[in-house]
Amino acid sequence: MSRYRLQPSPAQEQALLEHCGHARYVWNLAVEQHACWKPGRRSAPGFAEQCRQLTEARAESAWLRVGSIIVQQQALKDFAQAMANYFGGTHRRPTWRRRGRGEGFRIVAVKADDVRRLSRHVGEVKVPKVGWIRFRWSRAVPDGVKSYRVTRDRAGRWHVAFAAVPAPVPAPGTGQVVGVDRGVAVSAALSTGETLHAPGLREAERARLRRLLRKLARATRGSNRRAKVKAAIARVKARESDRRKDWVEKVSTDVARRFDVIAVEDLKIRNMTRSARGTVEAPGRNVRAKAGLNRSIMAAAWGGLVRRLEDKAPGRVVKVNPAYTSQRCSACGIVDRQARESQARYRCRSCGYACNADVNAARNIAHAAGHAVSAREGPRVAGPVHREPQRDLLLVG
Ligand SMILES: [Zn+2]
């Protein structure tokens, strides 16, 4: 995803706001439909049914009819994706969208000549029902743009983000399998023993954010000062999320290039078996309420990483049942509920094997994918005993 600053004229801005309004309206209708649903009733309408309802709504409402059907349909599609993320456990339940907050819409079926370059620093994108809008050509637009999203941040700035499905990264052909586990102490651990940290804000930036938040608390509602502080906060947070996105791109390319098979936990199963996994990891994974926000950001980064891996290594990502991956010793295979010494350390009381708890889990994930981990190993008290692959744990997805 590459993002560019859009520079609409005042008239174009009005038209863009209209698109945003339609997208918000349709999204909120979908939220409302699902909020009314109660267990035991017929299931809430899915994407196809909602599209049919949209056609009816457009026939009845002139306001909707003059808008772009792509914008409105894609809002339903976004909602369907948001519900899927919610059920997948990586995101919260989609909620109401309010005017002025996270406004945006998506355009699909983009043709090759809908994006063009005018000069060194200026490009143009064709938006249905609006026309050509200029944007700052701050870096190369990726080849094969299939869709784009137009957004307006709280500071009132418009951006366009072009989405092109990245070209698959060729497999190295070594037959090597890597297990990847997400953690809180580290953002991702590989079965090779590597631990990867998603970048966040620097200490000075965090201090600035804290200062801004205090300022915001003191500013009067509806004042100019408050709007300015809010915009400054939005900028700091955008920087953080940009860094995480860059990280996801780098890590996914690197992993897809180095390993033939990439094993990750199947989060759908993970959520169903969460209680069965025991409470050992509860103190580690739920580091108090304070970490709540951080955890949800991490979960989103993790979801993005898995999606990108699937884009870049199609057919090479294997999802395994996560049962006991954090409690099982990756050296001797025993399930030890008390082996988790702390959030970060795993020590097997049976064979003495000790290592980073997330790396231990990543090794179990690789084992579950049916292969031995052949990359460099950490120091061990006892020798490695690779178990036979457990076929019942294997799920290819
Ligand atoms: Zn052991």
Side-chain angles (χ1 to χ4, degrees), residues 329 331-334 348 350-353:
C329 169
C332 72
I334 204 162
C348 177
S350 171
C351 74
Y353 171 65

Side-chain angles (χ1 to χ4, degrees), residues 276-278 280-281 322-340 346-351 360 364 387 390 393:
R277 294 185 83 192
V280 174
E281 64 182 51
Y324 306 116
T325 48
S326 63
Q327 296 167 12
R328 193 186 293 278
C329 169
S330 64
C332 72
I334 204 162
V335 173
D336 184 348
R337 288 176 192 278
Q338 261 114 60
R340 194 99 180 220
Y346 183 94
R347 182 185 298 278
C348 177
R349 293 179 304 164
S350 171
C351 74
N360 180 61
N364 283 324
R387 288 161 298 119
Q390 296 162 296
L393 292 183

Side-chain angles (χ1 to χ4, degrees), residues 121-370:
H121 294 296
V122 183
E124 250 185 350
V125 57
K126 198 174 184 184
V127 180
K129 307 233 173 200
V130 183
W132 290 97
I133 302 183
R134 293 191 172 192
F135 64 88
R136 216 159 71 198
W137 193 284
S138 41
R139 53 184 149 161
V141 171
D143 285 332
V145 170
K146 290 279 176 286
S147 68
Y148 60 83
R149 176 179 288 282
V150 170
T151 51
R152 182 182 183 275
D153 63 20
R154 286 198 204 184
R157 295 172 306 181
W158 293 90
H159 289 93
V160 59
F162 297 107
V165 175
V169 175
T174 56
Q176 218 184 73
V177 181
V178 70
V180 187
D181 183 42
R182 70 161 169 177
V184 171
V186 291
S187 311
L190 304 189
S191 51
T192 56
E194 290 160 81
T195 52
L196 310 169
H197 300 259
L201 293 175
R202 295 188 185 90
E203 189 41 52
E205 290 165 333
R206 272 205 299 272
R208 178 173 150 74
L209 185 59
R210 281 195 297 271
R211 265 199 314 278
L212 286 167
L213 287 169
R214 277 199 301 273
K215 252 189 193 171
L216 183 71
R218 286 195 303 265
T220 341
R221 282 194 168 272
S223 67
N224 274 338
R225 195 171 107 94
R226 190 178 163 88
K228 266 188 202 152
V229 174
K230 275 172 120 173
I233 291 172
R235 277 198 297 276
V236 177
K237 289 193 169 164
R239 196 177 304 156
E240 180 176 30
S241 98
D242 281 353
R243 271 181 207 154
R244 284 189 203 280
K245 281 177 192 156
D246 281 352
W247 179 81
V248 162
E249 293 302 332
K250 282 201 193 93
V251 169
S252 56
T253 300
D254 179 56
V255 169
R257 187 175 289 151
R258 286 168 55 203
F259 304 96
D260 275 352
V261 177
I262 301 147
V264 297
E265 289 183 324
D266 190 326
L267 286 179
K268 276 193 209 107
I269 298 182
R270 186 198 161 97
N271 290 329
M272 285 191 285
T273 58
R274 186 177 279 166
S275 55
R277 294 185 83 192
T279 52
V280 174
E281 64 182 51
R285 299 232 170 180
N286 303 316
V287 197
R288 302 197 311 277
K290 176 192 136 209
L293 178 65
N294 198 34
R295 200 168 60 240
S296 65
I297 293 169
M298 284 300 179
W302 173 254
L305 181 61
V306 171
R307 261 198 305 284
R308 263 311 188 234
L309 283 171
E310 285 173 329
D311 285 342
K312 292 178 183 176
R316 297 196 280 130
V317 176
V318 172
K319 293 188 172 173
V320 302
N321 187 328
Y324 306 116
T325 48
S326 63
Q327 296 167 12
R328 193 186 293 278
C329 169
S330 64
C332 72
I334 204 162
V335 173
D336 184 348
R337 288 176 192 278
Q338 261 114 60
R340 194 99 180 220
E341 281 190 330
S342 68
Q343 185 189 332
R345 293 299 294 171
Y346 183 94
R347 182 185 298 278
C348 177
R349 293 179 304 164
S350 171
C351 74
Y353 171 65
C355 82
N356 176 295
D358 292 324
V359 170
N360 180 61
R363 288 193 173 142
N364 283 324
I365 291 166
H367 285 317

